Each structure stands twice: as structure tokens, then as C-alpha cells.
Amino acid sequence: MAACTHLNQITITELPEAVDGCEDCLRAGQPWLHLRICLTCGHVGCCDDSPNRHATAHAHASGHEIIRSLEPGEQWSWCFADEVAMILPDVHGQTRIPPSPLGG
Ligand SMILES: [Zn+2]
Ligand SMILES: [Zn+2]
Ligand SMILES: [Zn+2]
């Protein structure tokens, strides 16, 4: 398994207590499926199974490579550049999220 070389991009080690949903979908009035947070700047976006794939779009636009799932019970992170999933023990917290508008 390839190792991620972008761990120095991580500035968010405490997850927010609650979020309202995908920032970009909320702004556009669009539905999302699952939520991901950027561990560099805290941007909350939606997964690749969502219609607008805002987490991936944010990574490409910003160069922020590492996201973490905000879904209840999920603790994995993902590096877009290295395409590697990982568990980051230094990232703490559990974020309250609203149910997906798509019912997923
Ligand atoms: Zn990486
Ligand atoms: Zn979105
Ligand atoms: Zn970011």
C-alpha cells in the first residue's frame, strides 16, 4: 500500500461539532449523498456518488489532497493525490450531520 506524502497538509485535527451539509450544494440548492471534510481548510463537500462531487472538485481546485468522511461511524480519510485510504489517529471528534437529501 502506498504511503501518503501529504500529511503535512493537515491542519484540522478536531472535527466540527456539527455541519449543515455540503457547503456548495447548500449554496446551489442541490442535494448531496455523503459528506466529506477537507482536512486542510475545513471545507465540507459531497462524495463522488453525489450528483456534484464537490469534495473532489474542491481538492482539484485547491490542491488540498486529504479528506475525511463525516458519515456517522466512518473514520477513514482519503488522499486524492496518492489514491490511498487511511485512518488518521490524530484527527478527533464526531460531527453531527443532517440526513442526506437523497436519503442515502
Ligand atoms: Zn497523499
Ligand atoms: Zn455538494
Ligand atoms: Zn480545503
Side-chain angles (χ1 to χ4, degrees), residues 3-7 9 65-66 78-84 86:
C4 174
T5 55
H6 305 85
L7 297 178
Q9 286 193 0
E65 305 291 359
I66 303 179
W78 174 257
C79 175
F80 286 103
D82 295 312
E83 298 191 322
V84 61
M86 54 205 160

Side-chain angles (χ1 to χ4, degrees), residues 18-92:
V19 298
D20 294 332
C22 170
E23 296 175 14
D24 300 310
C25 284
L26 286 169
R27 206 172 295 127
Q30 299 275 321
W32 63 87
L33 188 59
H34 296 143
L35 296 179
R36 313 290 184 231
I37 189 168
C38 170
L39 289 181
T40 301
C41 71
H43 170 273
V44 176
C46 50
C47 71
D48 280 356
D49 292 324
S50 300
N52 294 294
R53 304 181 175 193
H54 283 128
T56 296
H58 172 75
H60 288 163
S62 66
H64 300 164
E65 305 291 359
I66 303 179
I67 55 164
R68 187 189 190 278
S69 174
L70 287 183
E71 295 301 305
E74 291 188 3
Q75 301 192 332
W76 54 267
S77 295
W78 174 257
C79 175
F80 286 103
D82 295 312
E83 298 191 322
V84 61
M86 54 205 160
I87 299 280
L88 300 170
D90 291 343
V91 178
H92 305 285

